[in-house]
PDB file of all heavy atoms in Angstrom:
ATOM      1  N   VAL A 178      22.629 -53.737 -12.951  1.00 95.00           N
ATOM      2  CA  VAL A 178      21.790 -53.431 -11.791  1.00 95.00           C
ATOM      3  C   VAL A 178      20.362 -53.102 -12.221  1.00 95.00           C
ATOM      4  O   VAL A 178      19.393 -53.560 -11.599  1.00 95.00           O
ATOM      5  CB  VAL A 178      22.406 -52.281 -10.972  1.00 95.00           C
ATOM      6  CG1 VAL A 178      21.392 -51.699  -9.986  1.00 95.00           C
ATOM      7  CG2 VAL A 178      23.634 -52.779 -10.230  1.00 95.00           C
ATOM      8  N   LEU A 179      20.196 -52.318 -13.284  1.00 94.00           N
ATOM      9  CA  LEU A 179      18.845 -51.950 -13.704  1.00 94.00           C
ATOM     10  C   LEU A 179      18.059 -53.152 -14.221  1.00 94.00           C
ATOM     11  O   LEU A 179      16.824 -53.174 -14.132  1.00 94.00           O
ATOM     12  CB  LEU A 179      18.915 -50.853 -14.760  1.00 94.00           C
ATOM     13  CG  LEU A 179      19.343 -49.482 -14.228  1.00 94.00           C
ATOM     14  CD1 LEU A 179      19.491 -48.489 -15.375  1.00 94.00           C
ATOM     15  CD2 LEU A 179      18.359 -48.951 -13.196  1.00 94.00           C
ATOM     16  N   GLU A 180      18.749 -54.131 -14.757  1.00 94.00           N
ATOM     17  CA  GLU A 180      18.054 -55.356 -15.156  1.00 94.00           C
ATOM     18  C   GLU A 180      17.540 -56.114 -13.938  1.00 94.00           C
ATOM     19  O   GLU A 180      16.467 -56.718 -13.979  1.00 94.00           O
ATOM     20  CB  GLU A 180      18.991 -56.250 -15.972  1.00 94.00           C
ATOM     21  CG  GLU A 180      19.267 -55.732 -17.379  1.00 94.00           C
ATOM     22  CD  GLU A 180      20.255 -56.604 -18.132  1.00 94.00           C
ATOM     23  OE1 GLU A 180      20.877 -57.492 -17.501  1.00 94.00           O
ATOM     24  OE2 GLU A 180      20.407 -56.404 -19.352  1.00 94.00           O
ATOM     25  N   ALA A 181      18.302 -56.072 -12.842  1.00 93.00           N
ATOM     26  CA  ALA A 181      17.921 -56.800 -11.632  1.00 93.00           C
ATOM     27  C   ALA A 181      16.966 -56.002 -10.755  1.00 93.00           C
ATOM     28  O   ALA A 181      16.070 -56.576 -10.126  1.00 93.00           O
ATOM     29  CB  ALA A 181      19.177 -57.161 -10.838  1.00 93.00           C
ATOM     30  N   VAL A 182      17.165 -54.679 -10.709  1.00 93.00           N
ATOM     31  CA  VAL A 182      16.357 -53.811  -9.840  1.00 93.00           C
ATOM     32  C   VAL A 182      15.916 -52.612 -10.689  1.00 93.00           C
ATOM     33  O   VAL A 182      16.505 -51.526 -10.608  1.00 93.00           O
ATOM     34  CB  VAL A 182      17.157 -53.350  -8.601  1.00 93.00           C
ATOM     35  CG1 VAL A 182      16.248 -52.629  -7.613  1.00 93.00           C
ATOM     36  CG2 VAL A 182      17.843 -54.525  -7.918  1.00 93.00           C
ATOM     37  N   PRO A 183      14.876 -52.760 -11.499  1.00 93.00           N
ATOM     38  CA  PRO A 183      14.505 -51.708 -12.460  1.00 93.00           C
ATOM     39  C   PRO A 183      14.131 -50.374 -11.826  1.00 93.00           C
ATOM     40  O   PRO A 183      14.246 -49.327 -12.483  1.00 93.00           O
ATOM     41  CB  PRO A 183      13.302 -52.323 -13.197  1.00 93.00           C
ATOM     42  CG  PRO A 183      13.429 -53.795 -12.998  1.00 93.00           C
ATOM     43  CD  PRO A 183      14.059 -53.973 -11.652  1.00 93.00           C
ATOM     44  N   ASP A 184      13.675 -50.394 -10.577  1.00 92.00           N
ATOM     45  CA  ASP A 184      13.240 -49.161  -9.933  1.00 92.00           C
ATOM     46  C   ASP A 184      14.371 -48.440  -9.209  1.00 92.00           C
ATOM     47  O   ASP A 184      14.131 -47.402  -8.562  1.00 92.00           O
ATOM     48  CB  ASP A 184      12.126 -49.454  -8.921  1.00 92.00           C
ATOM     49  CG  ASP A 184      10.841 -49.914  -9.599  1.00 92.00           C
ATOM     50  OD1 ASP A 184      10.633 -49.543 -10.773  1.00 92.00           O
ATOM     51  OD2 ASP A 184      10.065 -50.651  -8.965  1.00 92.00           O
ATOM     52  N   ALA A 185      15.585 -48.956  -9.298  1.00 95.00           N
ATOM     53  CA  ALA A 185      16.711 -48.308  -8.619  1.00 95.00           C
ATOM     54  C   ALA A 185      17.031 -46.980  -9.289  1.00 95.00           C
ATOM     55  O   ALA A 185      16.833 -46.800 -10.496  1.00 95.00           O
ATOM     56  CB  ALA A 185      17.936 -49.219  -8.647  1.00 95.00           C
ATOM     57  N   LEU A 186      17.554 -46.063  -8.490  1.00 96.00           N
ATOM     58  CA  LEU A 186      18.101 -44.824  -9.035  1.00 96.00           C
ATOM     59  C   LEU A 186      19.557 -45.074  -9.389  1.00 96.00           C
ATOM     60  O   LEU A 186      20.371 -45.371  -8.520  1.00 96.00           O
ATOM     61  CB  LEU A 186      18.012 -43.686  -8.008  1.00 96.00           C
ATOM     62  CG  LEU A 186      18.772 -42.397  -8.379  1.00 96.00           C
ATOM     63  CD1 LEU A 186      18.151 -41.748  -9.623  1.00 96.00           C
ATOM     64  CD2 LEU A 186      18.800 -41.423  -7.211  1.00 96.00           C
ATOM     65  N   GLY A 187      19.898 -44.966 -10.661  1.00 97.00           N
ATOM     66  CA  GLY A 187      21.282 -45.130 -11.095  1.00 97.00           C
ATOM     67  C   GLY A 187      21.947 -43.777 -11.236  1.00 97.00           C
ATOM     68  O   GLY A 187      21.438 -42.896 -11.946  1.00 97.00           O
ATOM     69  N   LEU A 188      23.079 -43.600 -10.564  1.00 97.00           N
ATOM     70  CA  LEU A 188      23.855 -42.367 -10.658  1.00 97.00           C
ATOM     71  C   LEU A 188      25.239 -42.685 -11.199  1.00 97.00           C
ATOM     72  O   LEU A 188      25.929 -43.567 -10.663  1.00 97.00           O
ATOM     73  CB  LEU A 188      23.980 -41.699  -9.287  1.00 97.00           C
ATOM     74  CG  LEU A 188      22.683 -41.187  -8.653  1.00 97.00           C
ATOM     75  CD1 LEU A 188      22.974 -40.585  -7.281  1.00 97.00           C
ATOM     76  CD2 LEU A 188      21.981 -40.175  -9.551  1.00 97.00           C
ATOM     77  N   HIS A 189      25.610 -41.983 -12.263  1.00 96.00           N
ATOM     78  CA  HIS A 189      26.952 -42.162 -12.804  1.00 96.00           C
ATOM     79  C   HIS A 189      27.854 -41.089 -12.235  1.00 96.00           C
ATOM     80  O   HIS A 189      27.591 -39.894 -12.368  1.00 96.00           O
ATOM     81  CB  HIS A 189      26.939 -42.060 -14.331  1.00 96.00           C
ATOM     82  CG  HIS A 189      28.311 -42.053 -14.919  1.00 96.00           C
ATOM     83  ND1 HIS A 189      28.937 -40.888 -15.340  1.00 96.00           N
ATOM     84  CD2 HIS A 189      29.208 -43.062 -15.108  1.00 96.00           C
ATOM     85  CE1 HIS A 189      30.152 -41.196 -15.779  1.00 96.00           C
ATOM     86  NE2 HIS A 189      30.325 -42.497 -15.653  1.00 96.00           N
ATOM     87  N   LEU A 190      28.937 -41.518 -11.582  1.00 96.00           N
ATOM     88  CA  LEU A 190      29.905 -40.600 -10.989  1.00 96.00           C
ATOM     89  C   LEU A 190      31.296 -41.125 -11.288  1.00 96.00           C
ATOM     90  O   LEU A 190      31.588 -42.304 -11.065  1.00 96.00           O
ATOM     91  CB  LEU A 190      29.691 -40.518  -9.471  1.00 96.00           C
ATOM     92  CG  LEU A 190      30.700 -39.714  -8.648  1.00 96.00           C
ATOM     93  CD1 LEU A 190      30.725 -38.250  -9.064  1.00 96.00           C
ATOM     94  CD2 LEU A 190      30.369 -39.821  -7.159  1.00 96.00           C
ATOM     95  N   MET A 191      32.151 -40.261 -11.822  1.00 94.00           N
ATOM     96  CA  MET A 191      33.537 -40.631 -12.112  1.00 94.00           C
ATOM     97  C   MET A 191      34.427 -39.474 -11.714  1.00 94.00           C
ATOM     98  O   MET A 191      34.311 -38.364 -12.245  1.00 94.00           O
ATOM     99  CB  MET A 191      33.728 -40.965 -13.590  1.00 94.00           C
ATOM    100  CG  MET A 191      35.109 -41.489 -13.906  1.00 94.00           C
ATOM    101  SD  MET A 191      35.257 -42.015 -15.628  1.00 94.00           S
ATOM    102  CE  MET A 191      36.804 -42.949 -15.542  1.00 94.00           C
ATOM    103  N   ALA A 192      35.311 -39.712 -10.761  1.00 94.00           N
ATOM    104  CA  ALA A 192      36.125 -38.636 -10.206  1.00 94.00           C
ATOM    105  C   ALA A 192      37.098 -38.060 -11.222  1.00 94.00           C
ATOM    106  O   ALA A 192      37.351 -36.853 -11.229  1.00 94.00           O
ATOM    107  CB  ALA A 192      36.876 -39.136  -8.975  1.00 94.00           C
TER     108      ALA A 192
END
Side-chain angles (χ1 to χ4, degrees):
V178 165
L179 289 175
E180 287 177 349
V182 188
D184 292 334
L186 170 65
L188 295 179
H189 172 259
L190 174 61
M191 186 175 194

